Amino acid sequence: MLTKLAGGRLFDPANGRHGEVADLWLRDDRIAADPGPGATPDAVHDVTGKVVMAGAIDIHSHIAGGKVNLARLLMGEEHDRHRFAGHACGHDGIGGDRIGGGSGIATPSTHTTGARYIEMGFTAAFEPAMLGSNARHAHLEMSDIPYIDTGGYLVLGNDDFLLDLIATNAGQAAVNDYVAWMLTATQSLAVKVVNPGGINAFKFNARSLDLDEAGPHYGVTPRSVLTTLARAVYELGLPHPLHVHGCNLGVPGNVATTLDTIQAASGLPMHMTHIQFHSYDTAGDRKFSSGAAALAEAVNRTPTLSVDIGQVMFGQTVTASADTMAQRHTAPLAHPRKWLAMDIECDAGCGVVPFRYRDTSYVNALQWAIGLELFLLLDDPWRVFLTTDHPNGAPFTFYPELIRLLMDRDYRLAKLAELHPDAPAHTTLGSIAREYTLAEIAIMTRAAPARILGLADRGHLAPGASADVTVYSDVPDRRAMFERPDLVFKGGRLVVRDGVLVAMAQGCTHVVRPGYDDLIERRIARHFDERLGLPIKHFRIQDAEIRHGAGPQLHPCQRREVP
Protein backbone atom coordinates (compact mmCIF):
# COMPACT_ATOMS: atom_id res chain seq x y z
CA MET A 1 0.00 0.00 0.00
CA LEU A 2 1.29 3.46 -0.92
CA THR A 3 0.31 6.35 1.38
CA LYS A 4 1.06 10.04 0.92
CA LEU A 5 1.18 12.59 3.76
CA ALA A 6 0.98 15.83 1.84
CA GLY A 7 2.43 19.19 2.81
CA GLY A 8 3.45 18.57 6.42
CA ARG A 9 6.23 20.25 8.38
CA LEU A 10 8.80 17.49 8.92
CA PHE A 11 10.74 17.46 12.18
CA ASP A 12 13.38 14.81 11.57
CA PRO A 13 16.54 15.87 13.47
CA ALA A 14 18.47 12.71 12.58
CA ASN A 15 18.39 13.91 8.98
CA GLY A 16 18.71 17.64 9.60
CA ARG A 17 15.06 18.51 8.98
CA HIS A 18 13.66 21.01 11.49
CA GLY A 19 10.26 21.98 10.14
CA GLU A 20 10.90 21.61 6.41
CA VAL A 21 7.68 21.50 4.40
CA ALA A 22 7.59 18.32 2.31
CA ASP A 23 5.49 15.31 1.40
CA LEU A 24 6.16 12.03 3.19
CA TRP A 25 5.55 8.70 1.46
CA LEU A 26 4.85 5.35 3.15
CA ARG A 27 5.02 2.09 1.24
CA ASP A 28 3.65 -0.84 3.24
CA ASP A 29 5.55 -0.82 6.56
CA ARG A 30 8.44 1.45 5.49
CA ILE A 31 9.00 5.10 4.70
CA ALA A 32 9.64 5.42 0.97
CA ALA A 33 11.38 7.84 -1.34
CA ASP A 34 9.20 10.16 -3.39
CA PRO A 35 8.03 7.89 -6.24
CA GLY A 36 7.76 10.79 -8.69
CA PRO A 37 4.93 12.63 -10.45
CA GLY A 38 3.37 9.56 -12.01
CA ALA A 39 2.70 7.75 -8.72
CA THR A 40 -0.87 7.05 -7.66
CA PRO A 41 -1.12 6.64 -3.87
CA ASP A 42 -3.72 4.36 -2.35
CA ALA A 43 -4.38 6.93 0.37
CA VAL A 44 -3.66 10.66 0.69
CA HIS A 45 -3.73 12.63 3.94
CA ASP A 46 -3.59 16.41 3.66
CA VAL A 47 -1.37 17.44 6.60
CA THR A 48 -0.66 20.98 5.41
CA GLY A 49 0.68 23.08 8.29
CA LYS A 50 0.76 20.11 10.65
CA VAL A 51 3.82 18.81 12.50
CA VAL A 52 5.08 15.42 11.29
CA MET A 53 7.50 13.43 13.45
CA ALA A 54 8.62 9.83 13.76
CA GLY A 55 6.86 7.82 16.45
CA ALA A 56 8.07 8.72 19.94
CA ILE A 57 10.25 6.31 21.96
CA ASP A 58 10.27 5.96 25.75
CA ILE A 59 13.63 4.55 26.86
CA HIS A 60 12.66 3.94 30.51
CA SER A 61 9.18 2.82 31.52
CA HIS A 62 8.25 -0.03 33.85
CA ILE A 63 5.69 -1.83 31.70
CA ALA A 64 6.23 -5.56 32.31
CA GLY A 65 7.66 -8.11 34.72
CA GLY A 66 7.45 -9.21 38.33
CA LYS A 67 7.31 -5.89 40.14
CA VAL A 68 4.79 -4.48 37.65
CA ASN A 69 2.44 -7.36 38.41
CA LEU A 70 2.96 -6.97 42.13
CA ALA A 71 2.09 -3.29 41.77
CA ARG A 72 -1.11 -4.19 39.89
CA LEU A 73 -2.07 -6.62 42.65
CA LEU A 74 -1.32 -4.09 45.37
CA MET A 75 -3.31 -1.37 43.58
CA GLY A 76 -6.38 -3.43 42.73
CA GLU A 77 -8.69 -0.54 43.59
CA GLU A 78 -7.12 1.50 40.79
CA HIS A 79 -8.23 -1.11 38.26
CA ASP A 80 -11.75 -1.11 39.68
CA ARG A 81 -11.86 2.69 39.42
CA HIS A 82 -10.26 3.17 35.99
CA ARG A 83 -11.67 0.83 33.37
CA PHE A 84 -11.54 1.66 29.66
CA ALA A 85 -14.21 0.24 27.38
CA GLY A 86 -12.88 -1.26 24.19
CA HIS A 87 -14.73 -1.55 20.93
CA ALA A 88 -14.50 -3.87 17.98
CA CYS A 89 -13.09 -2.46 14.77
CA GLY A 90 -12.41 -4.34 11.55
CA HIS A 91 -11.55 -3.18 8.07
CA ASP A 92 -15.25 -2.60 7.40
CA GLY A 93 -15.74 -0.74 10.70
CA ILE A 94 -18.28 -3.33 11.84
CA GLY A 95 -16.34 -6.04 13.62
CA GLY A 96 -12.91 -7.49 14.20
CA ASP A 97 -10.15 -6.83 16.72
CA ARG A 98 -11.02 -5.30 20.07
CA ILE A 99 -9.17 -2.05 20.65
CA GLY A 100 -8.77 0.45 23.46
CA GLY A 101 -9.94 -1.57 26.46
CA GLY A 102 -8.24 -2.42 29.74
CA SER A 103 -7.77 -0.76 33.12
CA GLY A 104 -5.39 1.15 35.36
CA ILE A 105 -3.39 4.38 35.15
CA ALA A 106 -0.29 4.08 37.36
CA THR A 107 -0.35 0.29 36.93
CA PRO A 108 -2.07 -0.15 33.57
CA SER A 109 -2.90 -3.53 32.12
CA THR A 110 -0.90 -4.66 29.13
CA HIS A 111 -3.58 -3.65 26.65
CA THR A 112 -4.07 -0.27 28.31
CA THR A 113 -0.31 0.32 28.23
CA GLY A 114 -0.14 -0.06 24.47
CA ALA A 115 -3.35 1.88 23.87
CA ARG A 116 -2.41 4.88 26.01
CA TYR A 117 1.08 5.09 24.48
CA ILE A 118 -0.04 4.94 20.85
CA GLU A 119 -2.82 7.46 21.49
CA MET A 120 -0.09 9.98 22.41
CA GLY A 121 2.04 9.15 19.37
CA PHE A 122 4.52 6.83 21.10
CA THR A 123 5.39 3.74 19.09
CA ALA A 124 7.98 2.14 21.41
CA ALA A 125 8.64 1.81 25.15
CA PHE A 126 11.35 -0.16 26.91
CA GLU A 127 11.20 -2.05 30.21
CA PRO A 128 14.34 -0.92 32.07
CA ALA A 129 14.56 -3.55 34.81
CA MET A 130 14.12 -7.12 33.60
CA LEU A 131 15.48 -9.66 36.03
CA GLY A 132 16.94 -12.80 34.47
CA SER A 133 14.76 -15.15 36.50
CA ASN A 134 11.66 -13.14 35.54
CA ALA A 135 12.60 -12.52 31.92
CA ARG A 136 10.25 -15.13 30.45
CA HIS A 137 7.34 -13.59 32.34
CA ALA A 138 8.35 -10.09 31.21
CA HIS A 139 8.50 -11.22 27.58
CA LEU A 140 5.08 -12.83 27.82
CA GLU A 141 3.70 -9.53 29.06
CA MET A 142 5.51 -7.48 26.43
CA SER A 143 4.11 -9.82 23.78
CA ASP A 144 0.66 -8.95 25.10
CA ILE A 145 1.21 -5.17 24.80
CA PRO A 146 -0.29 -4.09 21.46
CA TYR A 147 0.71 -1.27 19.13
CA ILE A 148 4.21 -0.48 20.41
CA ASP A 149 7.71 -1.94 20.13
CA THR A 150 9.27 -3.15 23.36
CA GLY A 151 12.47 -4.60 24.78
CA GLY A 152 14.03 -5.28 28.16
CA TYR A 153 17.17 -4.18 29.98
CA LEU A 154 18.71 -7.07 31.92
CA VAL A 155 19.35 -6.27 35.59
CA LEU A 156 22.80 -7.33 36.78
CA GLY A 157 25.04 -6.15 39.60
CA ASN A 158 23.45 -7.84 42.61
CA ASP A 159 23.41 -11.40 41.31
CA ASP A 160 25.62 -13.80 43.24
CA PHE A 161 27.34 -15.18 40.15
CA LEU A 162 28.62 -11.78 39.05
CA LEU A 163 29.63 -10.70 42.54
CA ASP A 164 31.55 -13.94 42.97
CA LEU A 165 33.36 -13.35 39.66
CA ILE A 166 34.43 -9.92 40.85
CA ALA A 167 35.32 -11.03 44.39
CA THR A 168 37.49 -13.91 43.16
CA ASN A 169 39.26 -11.80 40.52
CA ALA A 170 38.01 -14.03 37.71
CA GLY A 171 38.95 -11.32 35.21
CA GLN A 172 37.16 -8.99 32.83
CA ALA A 173 36.97 -11.57 30.04
CA ALA A 174 34.98 -13.95 32.25
CA VAL A 175 32.63 -11.13 33.27
CA ASN A 176 32.15 -10.17 29.62
CA ASP A 177 31.28 -13.76 28.69
CA TYR A 178 28.80 -14.00 31.56
CA VAL A 179 27.10 -10.72 30.62
CA ALA A 180 26.92 -11.76 26.96
CA TRP A 181 25.50 -15.18 27.82
CA MET A 182 22.86 -13.66 30.09
CA LEU A 183 21.83 -11.10 27.46
CA THR A 184 21.43 -13.85 24.88
CA ALA A 185 19.61 -16.26 27.19
CA THR A 186 17.13 -13.63 28.36
CA GLN A 187 16.59 -11.98 24.95
CA SER A 188 17.58 -8.54 26.28
CA LEU A 189 18.54 -5.28 24.60
CA ALA A 190 20.75 -3.64 27.24
CA VAL A 191 22.19 -4.00 30.76
CA LYS A 192 21.02 -2.12 33.84
CA VAL A 193 22.52 -2.01 37.31
CA VAL A 194 20.32 -1.04 40.27
CA ASN A 195 22.04 0.24 43.43
CA PRO A 196 25.16 -1.80 42.52
CA GLY A 197 25.86 -4.33 45.25
CA GLY A 198 23.35 -2.69 47.57
CA ILE A 199 20.43 -5.03 47.01
CA ASN A 200 22.65 -8.03 47.69
CA ALA A 201 23.96 -6.28 50.81
CA PHE A 202 20.37 -5.81 51.99
CA LYS A 203 20.06 -9.60 52.21
CA PHE A 204 22.89 -9.56 54.74
CA ASN A 205 21.05 -6.96 56.86
CA ALA A 206 22.84 -3.88 55.50
CA ARG A 207 20.55 -0.88 55.20
CA SER A 208 22.86 1.46 53.27
CA LEU A 209 25.90 1.11 51.05
CA ASP A 210 27.84 4.04 49.66
CA LEU A 211 29.87 4.03 46.47
CA ASP A 212 33.19 3.03 48.04
CA GLU A 213 31.87 0.96 50.94
CA ALA A 214 32.59 -2.79 50.79
CA GLY A 215 29.43 -4.84 50.94
CA PRO A 216 28.98 -7.72 53.35
CA HIS A 217 29.87 -11.29 52.36
CA TYR A 218 31.54 -10.55 49.00
CA GLY A 219 33.51 -7.49 50.15
CA VAL A 220 32.85 -5.82 46.79
CA THR A 221 32.23 -2.07 46.53
CA PRO A 222 29.50 -0.52 44.36
CA ARG A 223 32.26 1.30 42.45
CA SER A 224 33.88 -1.99 41.44
CA VAL A 225 30.53 -3.43 40.32
CA LEU A 226 29.79 -0.28 38.34
CA THR A 227 33.13 -0.04 36.56
CA THR A 228 33.29 -3.78 35.82
CA LEU A 229 29.83 -3.77 34.22
CA ALA A 230 30.42 -0.51 32.35
CA ARG A 231 33.56 -1.96 30.85
CA ALA A 232 31.79 -5.22 29.93
CA VAL A 233 29.00 -3.35 28.15
CA TYR A 234 31.53 -1.20 26.28
CA GLU A 235 33.81 -4.07 25.25
CA LEU A 236 30.89 -6.23 24.12
CA GLY A 237 29.86 -3.38 21.85
CA LEU A 238 26.29 -3.00 23.05
CA PRO A 239 24.57 0.00 21.45
CA HIS A 240 23.22 1.28 24.78
CA PRO A 241 25.74 2.14 27.53
CA LEU A 242 25.36 0.68 31.01
CA HIS A 243 22.02 1.94 32.37
CA VAL A 244 22.79 3.05 35.94
CA HIS A 245 20.41 3.41 38.87
CA GLY A 246 22.91 4.73 41.39
CA CYS A 247 23.39 4.47 45.13
CA ASN A 248 21.42 6.44 47.74
CA LEU A 249 18.29 7.05 45.69
CA GLY A 250 16.05 9.65 47.33
CA VAL A 251 18.48 10.45 50.15
CA PRO A 252 19.19 14.14 50.93
CA GLY A 253 22.78 14.89 49.98
CA ASN A 254 22.91 12.14 47.36
CA VAL A 255 24.06 14.56 44.65
CA ALA A 256 27.59 14.06 46.02
CA THR A 257 27.32 10.32 45.41
CA THR A 258 25.94 10.98 41.92
CA LEU A 259 28.89 13.22 41.05
CA ASP A 260 31.28 10.56 42.36
CA THR A 261 29.49 7.96 40.21
CA ILE A 262 30.12 10.05 37.10
CA GLN A 263 33.82 10.13 37.98
CA ALA A 264 33.80 6.38 38.62
CA ALA A 265 32.96 5.72 34.97
CA SER A 266 36.50 6.92 34.11
CA GLY A 267 35.50 8.04 30.63
CA LEU A 268 33.51 4.93 29.72
CA PRO A 269 30.05 5.65 28.27
CA MET A 270 27.32 5.51 30.90
CA HIS A 271 23.63 6.34 31.09
CA MET A 272 22.37 7.57 34.46
CA THR A 273 18.68 7.03 34.92
CA HIS A 274 15.99 9.02 36.79
CA ILE A 275 18.61 11.52 37.95
CA GLN A 276 15.97 13.74 39.55
CA PHE A 277 15.91 11.22 42.41
CA HIS A 278 19.71 11.49 42.69
CA SER A 279 20.04 15.31 42.66
CA TYR A 280 19.34 16.27 46.28
CA ASP A 281 21.50 18.56 48.40
CA THR A 282 21.26 19.45 52.11
CA ALA A 283 21.45 23.25 52.11
CA GLY A 284 18.98 25.33 54.12
CA ASP A 285 17.05 24.87 57.33
CA ARG A 286 15.15 21.89 56.00
CA LYS A 287 18.35 20.06 54.98
CA PHE A 288 16.76 19.26 51.63
CA SER A 289 17.52 21.40 48.59
CA SER A 290 18.27 21.20 44.89
CA GLY A 291 21.61 19.93 43.64
CA ALA A 292 20.47 20.18 40.01
CA ALA A 293 22.85 22.96 38.99
CA ALA A 294 25.97 21.07 40.09
CA LEU A 295 24.80 17.85 38.46
CA ALA A 296 23.81 19.58 35.21
CA GLU A 297 27.24 21.19 35.02
CA ALA A 298 28.91 17.79 35.44
CA VAL A 299 26.70 16.21 32.75
CA ASN A 300 27.30 19.09 30.35
CA ARG A 301 31.06 18.66 30.55
CA THR A 302 30.97 14.84 30.23
CA PRO A 303 30.20 13.94 26.60
CA THR A 304 30.26 10.19 27.32
CA LEU A 305 27.34 10.55 29.76
CA SER A 306 23.63 10.51 28.97
CA VAL A 307 20.72 10.84 31.39
CA ASP A 308 17.00 10.56 31.75
CA ILE A 309 15.16 12.62 34.34
CA GLY A 310 12.42 10.69 36.15
CA GLN A 311 10.21 13.76 36.46
CA VAL A 312 7.83 13.95 39.42
CA MET A 313 4.27 15.07 38.63
CA PHE A 314 1.56 15.59 41.23
CA GLY A 315 -1.06 12.99 42.02
CA GLN A 316 -1.46 9.34 42.98
CA THR A 317 0.97 6.78 41.65
CA VAL A 318 2.88 3.74 42.87
CA THR A 319 6.63 3.33 43.19
CA ALA A 320 7.95 -0.04 42.05
CA SER A 321 11.68 -0.70 42.13
CA ALA A 322 14.32 -3.38 42.46
CA ASP A 323 16.02 -1.04 44.95
CA THR A 324 14.80 -2.71 48.15
CA MET A 325 16.82 -0.36 50.33
CA ALA A 326 15.16 2.74 48.89
CA GLN A 327 11.69 1.22 48.99
CA ARG A 328 12.02 0.21 52.65
CA HIS A 329 13.06 3.79 53.41
CA THR A 330 9.96 5.14 51.62
CA ALA A 331 7.48 2.62 53.08
CA PRO A 332 6.38 4.78 56.09
CA LEU A 333 5.15 7.40 53.58
CA ALA A 334 2.96 4.97 51.64
CA HIS A 335 -0.40 6.26 50.41
CA PRO A 336 -2.56 4.27 50.83
CA ARG A 337 -0.83 2.66 53.80
CA LYS A 338 0.30 -0.64 52.35
CA TRP A 339 3.50 -1.85 50.70
CA LEU A 340 5.48 -4.98 49.97
CA ALA A 341 9.08 -6.10 49.56
CA MET A 342 10.52 -9.41 48.45
CA ASP A 343 13.63 -11.22 47.32
CA ILE A 344 13.54 -12.66 43.83
CA GLU A 345 15.31 -15.95 43.15
CA CYS A 346 18.59 -14.89 44.82
CA ASP A 347 19.17 -12.43 41.96
CA ALA A 348 17.66 -9.15 43.19
CA GLY A 349 14.94 -7.60 45.30
CA CYS A 350 11.74 -5.70 44.77
CA GLY A 351 9.72 -3.13 46.67
CA VAL A 352 6.32 -1.66 45.82
CA VAL A 353 5.09 1.41 47.70
CA PRO A 354 1.97 3.40 46.67
CA PHE A 355 2.62 7.14 46.83
CA ARG A 356 0.82 10.43 46.32
CA TYR A 357 2.91 13.43 45.26
CA ARG A 358 1.35 16.62 46.66
CA ASP A 359 2.05 20.17 45.49
CA THR A 360 1.45 21.32 49.09
CA SER A 361 4.40 19.22 50.28
CA TYR A 362 7.73 21.05 50.37
CA VAL A 363 9.69 17.90 49.46
CA ASN A 364 7.38 16.88 46.59
CA ALA A 365 7.23 20.44 45.25
CA LEU A 366 11.01 20.64 45.23
CA GLN A 367 11.28 17.25 43.50
CA TRP A 368 9.01 18.59 40.74
CA ALA A 369 11.16 21.71 40.41
CA ILE A 370 14.46 19.78 40.45
CA GLY A 371 13.40 17.63 37.51
CA LEU A 372 12.47 20.67 35.45
CA GLU A 373 15.71 22.41 36.44
CA LEU A 374 17.67 19.48 35.07
CA PHE A 375 15.75 19.41 31.79
CA LEU A 376 16.35 23.13 31.30
CA LEU A 377 19.98 23.30 32.47
CA LEU A 378 21.23 20.38 30.38
CA ASP A 379 22.58 21.76 27.11
CA ASP A 380 22.47 18.80 24.75
CA PRO A 381 19.01 17.38 23.94
CA TRP A 382 20.74 14.36 22.34
CA ARG A 383 21.87 13.27 25.84
CA VAL A 384 18.76 13.90 27.94
CA PHE A 385 15.55 11.87 27.70
CA LEU A 386 11.93 12.48 28.60
CA THR A 387 10.91 10.11 31.40
CA THR A 388 8.84 10.04 34.56
CA ASP A 389 10.37 6.67 35.47
CA HIS A 390 6.81 5.39 35.03
CA PRO A 391 5.17 4.89 37.42
CA ASN A 392 7.67 6.04 40.06
CA GLY A 393 7.59 9.78 39.34
CA ALA A 394 4.23 9.72 37.59
CA PRO A 395 2.32 7.65 35.02
CA PHE A 396 3.63 8.04 31.47
CA THR A 397 0.32 9.64 30.49
CA PHE A 398 1.66 12.87 32.07
CA TYR A 399 4.14 13.34 29.19
CA PRO A 400 2.01 15.94 27.32
CA GLU A 401 1.79 18.06 30.49
CA LEU A 402 5.54 17.72 31.00
CA ILE A 403 6.22 18.79 27.42
CA ARG A 404 4.10 21.90 27.94
CA LEU A 405 6.09 22.77 31.08
CA LEU A 406 9.30 22.54 29.06
CA MET A 407 8.01 24.55 26.09
CA ASP A 408 6.01 27.28 27.88
CA ARG A 409 7.86 29.39 30.49
CA ASP A 410 4.79 31.44 31.49
CA TYR A 411 2.83 28.26 32.15
CA ARG A 412 5.77 26.86 34.13
CA LEU A 413 6.03 29.97 36.31
CA ALA A 414 2.29 29.93 36.98
CA LYS A 415 2.56 26.32 38.19
CA LEU A 416 5.62 27.17 40.30
CA ALA A 417 3.62 29.89 42.05
CA GLU A 418 0.99 27.34 43.10
CA LEU A 419 3.45 25.15 45.02
CA HIS A 420 4.42 25.02 48.68
CA PRO A 421 5.56 28.60 49.44
CA ASP A 422 9.04 27.56 50.64
CA ALA A 423 9.94 25.55 47.53
CA PRO A 424 10.71 28.38 45.03
CA ALA A 425 13.45 29.78 47.28
CA HIS A 426 15.38 26.48 47.11
CA THR A 427 15.38 26.12 43.33
CA THR A 428 16.64 28.21 40.41
CA LEU A 429 13.68 27.19 38.25
CA GLY A 430 12.04 30.63 38.35
CA SER A 431 15.10 32.30 36.86
CA ILE A 432 15.49 29.92 33.89
CA ALA A 433 14.18 31.48 30.68
CA ARG A 434 14.75 28.54 28.34
CA GLU A 435 11.85 27.05 26.42
CA TYR A 436 12.25 23.82 24.45
CA THR A 437 11.59 24.03 20.71
CA LEU A 438 9.71 21.50 18.61
CA ALA A 439 13.03 20.43 17.12
CA GLU A 440 14.45 19.75 20.60
CA ILE A 441 11.35 17.77 21.57
CA ALA A 442 11.78 15.69 18.40
CA ILE A 443 15.42 15.02 19.34
CA MET A 444 14.70 14.12 22.94
CA THR A 445 11.71 11.87 22.24
CA ARG A 446 12.57 10.39 18.82
CA ALA A 447 16.01 10.75 17.27
CA ALA A 448 18.11 10.51 20.44
CA PRO A 449 16.33 7.48 21.97
CA ALA A 450 16.65 5.57 18.69
CA ARG A 451 20.34 6.44 18.43
CA ILE A 452 21.27 5.52 21.99
CA LEU A 453 19.42 2.19 21.76
CA GLY A 454 20.90 1.29 18.38
CA LEU A 455 17.52 1.27 16.60
CA ALA A 456 18.78 2.28 13.18
CA ASP A 457 15.38 2.12 11.49
CA ARG A 458 13.40 3.97 14.18
CA GLY A 459 13.23 7.58 15.33
CA HIS A 460 13.61 9.19 11.89
CA LEU A 461 11.77 9.75 8.60
CA ALA A 462 14.34 8.76 5.96
CA PRO A 463 13.47 6.18 3.28
CA GLY A 464 13.85 2.67 4.65
CA ALA A 465 12.87 3.58 8.20
CA SER A 466 9.95 1.86 9.85
CA ALA A 467 6.76 3.73 8.97
CA ASP A 468 6.08 4.76 12.56
CA VAL A 469 4.81 8.31 12.09
CA THR A 470 2.88 10.81 14.22
CA VAL A 471 1.08 13.93 12.94
CA TYR A 472 0.11 16.79 15.28
CA SER A 473 -1.77 20.06 14.88
CA ASP A 474 0.59 22.91 15.75
CA VAL A 475 -1.46 24.60 18.48
CA PRO A 476 -0.17 26.94 21.24
CA ASP A 477 -1.33 24.63 24.03
CA ARG A 478 1.46 22.06 23.77
CA ARG A 479 -0.24 19.73 26.21
CA ALA A 480 -3.29 19.51 23.97
CA MET A 481 -1.05 19.12 20.93
CA PHE A 482 0.92 16.15 22.27
CA GLU A 483 -2.00 14.58 24.09
CA ARG A 484 -4.14 14.07 21.00
CA PRO A 485 -2.32 13.52 17.68
CA ASP A 486 -4.25 13.91 14.45
CA LEU A 487 -2.78 10.73 12.96
CA VAL A 488 -0.55 7.91 14.19
CA PHE A 489 0.81 5.23 11.86
CA LYS A 490 2.39 2.05 13.22
CA GLY A 491 4.32 0.11 10.60
CA GLY A 492 2.47 2.07 7.91
CA ARG A 493 -0.98 1.27 9.27
CA LEU A 494 -3.19 4.12 10.46
CA VAL A 495 -4.10 3.22 14.05
CA VAL A 496 -5.06 6.59 15.60
CA ARG A 497 -7.15 9.35 14.08
CA ASP A 498 -7.91 12.54 16.06
CA GLY A 499 -6.60 10.91 19.24
CA VAL A 500 -8.91 7.90 18.92
CA LEU A 501 -7.88 4.32 18.19
CA VAL A 502 -9.24 3.11 14.86
CA ALA A 503 -7.32 -0.13 14.23
CA MET A 504 -5.10 -2.72 15.89
CA ALA A 505 -1.39 -3.13 15.27
CA GLN A 506 1.51 -5.03 16.80
CA GLY A 507 5.09 -3.98 17.47
CA CYS A 508 8.24 -6.05 17.79
CA THR A 509 10.74 -6.90 20.53
CA HIS A 510 14.31 -5.58 20.16
CA VAL A 511 17.30 -7.63 21.36
CA VAL A 512 21.09 -7.94 21.09
CA ARG A 513 23.26 -11.06 20.97
CA PRO A 514 26.93 -10.40 21.66
CA GLY A 515 29.12 -13.46 21.27
CA TYR A 516 30.74 -15.28 24.19
CA ASP A 517 33.14 -18.14 24.95
CA ASP A 518 31.09 -21.32 25.37
CA LEU A 519 33.21 -22.32 28.39
CA ILE A 520 31.31 -19.81 30.55
CA GLU A 521 28.14 -21.82 30.04
CA ARG A 522 29.58 -24.78 31.99
CA ARG A 523 30.27 -22.59 34.99
CA ILE A 524 26.83 -20.98 34.78
CA ALA A 525 25.20 -24.41 34.50
CA ARG A 526 26.88 -25.56 37.71
CA HIS A 527 25.70 -22.39 39.48
CA PHE A 528 22.13 -23.00 38.29
CA ASP A 529 22.19 -26.62 39.46
CA GLU A 530 23.79 -25.94 42.84
CA ARG A 531 22.29 -22.58 43.82
CA LEU A 532 19.03 -22.12 41.92
CA GLY A 533 17.81 -25.66 41.28
CA LEU A 534 16.93 -24.68 37.71
CA PRO A 535 18.37 -26.50 34.70
CA ILE A 536 20.02 -24.05 32.35
CA LYS A 537 18.00 -25.31 29.38
CA HIS A 538 14.81 -24.10 31.07
CA PHE A 539 16.31 -20.66 31.75
CA ARG A 540 17.01 -19.85 28.12
CA ILE A 541 14.23 -18.09 26.22
CA GLN A 542 13.71 -19.29 22.67
CA ASP A 543 12.85 -17.08 19.70
CA ALA A 544 9.49 -18.83 19.40
CA GLU A 545 8.55 -17.46 22.83
CA ILE A 546 8.89 -13.84 21.66
CA ARG A 547 5.85 -11.99 20.28
CA HIS A 548 3.69 -15.10 19.97
CA GLY A 549 6.20 -16.83 17.72
CA ALA A 550 7.15 -13.84 15.58
CA GLY A 551 10.59 -13.74 17.20
CA PRO A 552 12.74 -10.72 18.07
CA GLN A 553 14.35 -7.99 15.98
CA LEU A 554 18.11 -8.34 16.35
CA HIS A 555 20.49 -5.37 16.57
CA PRO A 556 24.22 -5.73 15.94
CA CYS A 557 27.02 -5.29 18.49
CA GLN A 558 30.47 -3.98 17.59
CA ARG A 559 33.22 -5.26 19.91
CA ARG A 560 35.49 -2.54 21.29
CA GLU A 561 38.68 -2.29 23.30
CA VAL A 562 39.08 0.09 26.22
CA PRO A 563 41.73 2.68 25.28
Side-chain angles (χ1 to χ4, degrees), residues 55-59 122-126 444-446 449-450 453 455 458-459:
I57 299 169
D58 190 345
I59 73 164
F122 279 77
T123 54
F126 291 87
M444 184 170 61
T445 61
R446 274 87 172 165
L453 292 173
L455 312 181
R458 297 319 197 251

Side-chain angles (χ1 to χ4, degrees), residues 252 281-289 361-363 420-423 426:
D281 211 339
T282 55
D285 294 340
R286 294 176 178 268
K287 304 300 181 186
F288 182 79
S289 61
S361 160
Y362 168 78
V363 170
H420 188 285
D422 292 346
H426 292 84

Side-chain angles (χ1 to χ4, degrees), residues 189-277:
L189 178 64
V191 176
K192 182 185 183 184
V193 61
V194 178
N195 189 359
I199 302 166
N200 189 277
F202 187 83
K203 301 175 187 180
F204 295 94
N205 211 33
R207 292 297 178 262
S208 64
L209 193 69
D210 214 341
L211 187 64
D212 291 305
E213 182 180 355
H217 190 67
Y218 290 103
V220 172
T221 67
R223 182 187 295 269
S224 63
V225 176
L226 184 75
T227 55
T228 302
L229 278 176
R231 182 173 176 182
V233 167
Y234 180 80
E235 292 185 350
L236 290 170
L238 304 190
H240 188 51
L242 180 64
H243 201 87
V244 178
H245 165 139
C247 306
N248 297 328
L249 178 141
V251 177
N254 64 8
V255 67
T257 303
T258 307
L259 294 171
D260 287 344
T261 302
I262 294 173
Q263 294 298 319
S266 301
L268 287 168
M270 185 169 68
H271 178 90
M272 297 192 73
T273 190
H274 44 63
I275 60 169
Q276 179 278 134
F277 290 107

Side-chain angles (χ1 to χ4, degrees), residues 56-63 113-114 117 122-128 142 145 147-153 189 390 396 399 453 455 508 510 547:
I57 299 169
D58 190 345
I59 73 164
H60 186 110
S61 183
H62 297 282
I63 55 175
T113 297
Y117 263 119
F122 279 77
T123 54
F126 291 87
E127 167 54 56
M142 287 190 284
I145 296 174
Y147 303 109
I148 62 173
D149 293 352
T150 58
Y153 308 163
L189 178 64
H390 166 82
F396 63 79
Y399 285 158
L453 292 173
L455 312 181
C508 64
H510 299 272
R547 289 280 171 178

Side-chain angles (χ1 to χ4, degrees), residues 4-8 23 43-50 471 486-487:
K4 179 182 180 181
L5 306 183
D23 298 336
V44 178
H45 299 273
D46 183 0
V47 295
T48 303
K50 298 184 185 295
V471 178
D486 294 65
L487 305 170

Side-chain angles (χ1 to χ4, degrees), residues 457-472:
D457 62 347
R458 297 319 197 251
H460 66 92
L461 300 175
S466 178
D468 295 351
V469 181
T470 305
V471 178
Y472 303 97

